[in-house]
Amino acid sequence: MKNLTKTQLLFLGLSLLGIIWPWYYNLQMTDISQFFSVMWDTPVSSSLSADITVAVLTFFVWMIPEGRRVGIRPWVLATLGLLTFLIAFAFTFPFFMFLRARALAGDGSPRWLDH
């Protein structure tokens, strides 16, 4: 992972922030099993939940053909889809953008991106 551009480093930094910041709050929950029910409890949380739901669905609709177009393997795309729900959309979106930028640059992308 040498020769990273400033944009690629920015995407990696945002990915890291996308793990740390949401999980800082997730770990404060005493009953994580209620996560999906309480996210619709107030008008503010409902608005944010609806907003993120539409953004995630739009991301999936775009990510799959775009990932294939730039040569990211299907199992990587499927893993990102799963990680969206296990970690956070705030992680997977910038991480996909990092992978995409590396694939488009063609400058030493990880082997698992190759066809």
Side-chain angles (χ1 to χ4, degrees):
M1 292 235 292
K2 47 189 163 179
N3 303 326
L4 294 177
T5 67
K6 289 179 183 178
T7 301
Q8 292 167 356
L9 286 171
L10 177 62
F11 286 141
L12 277 179
L14 290 170
S15 294
L16 184 60
L17 182 63
I19 292 172
I20 294 168
W21 198 355
W23 275 91
Y24 170 79
Y25 294 104
N26 288 347
L27 292 173
Q28 291 180 33
M29 286 186 256
T30 56
D31 187 3
I32 198 146
S33 67
Q34 294 182 354
F35 181 87
F36 289 103
S37 63
V38 298
M39 65 190 260
W40 302 99
D41 277 355
T42 69
V44 171
S45 65
S46 295
S47 173
L48 290 171
S49 296
D51 187 51
I52 299 227
T53 299
V54 171
V56 167
L57 293 173
T58 303
F59 171 62
F60 287 156
V61 166
W62 175 74
M63 176 189 69
I64 295 167
E66 180 63 9
R68 287 181 180 160
R69 184 184 76 79
V70 301
I72 299 173
R73 289 187 172 210
W75 73 266
V76 175
L77 299 174
T79 301
L80 286 174
L82 180 63
L83 292 177
T84 297
F85 300 104
L86 295 177
I87 297 176
F89 175 59
F91 161 71
T92 56
F93 179 59
F95 193 69
F96 172 78
M97 294 303 292
F98 165 75
L99 295 177
R100 179 181 177 272
R102 293 290 287 170
L104 288 173
D107 58 353
S109 297
R111 288 186 53 82
W112 45 269
L113 288 174
D114 297 338
H115 279 285

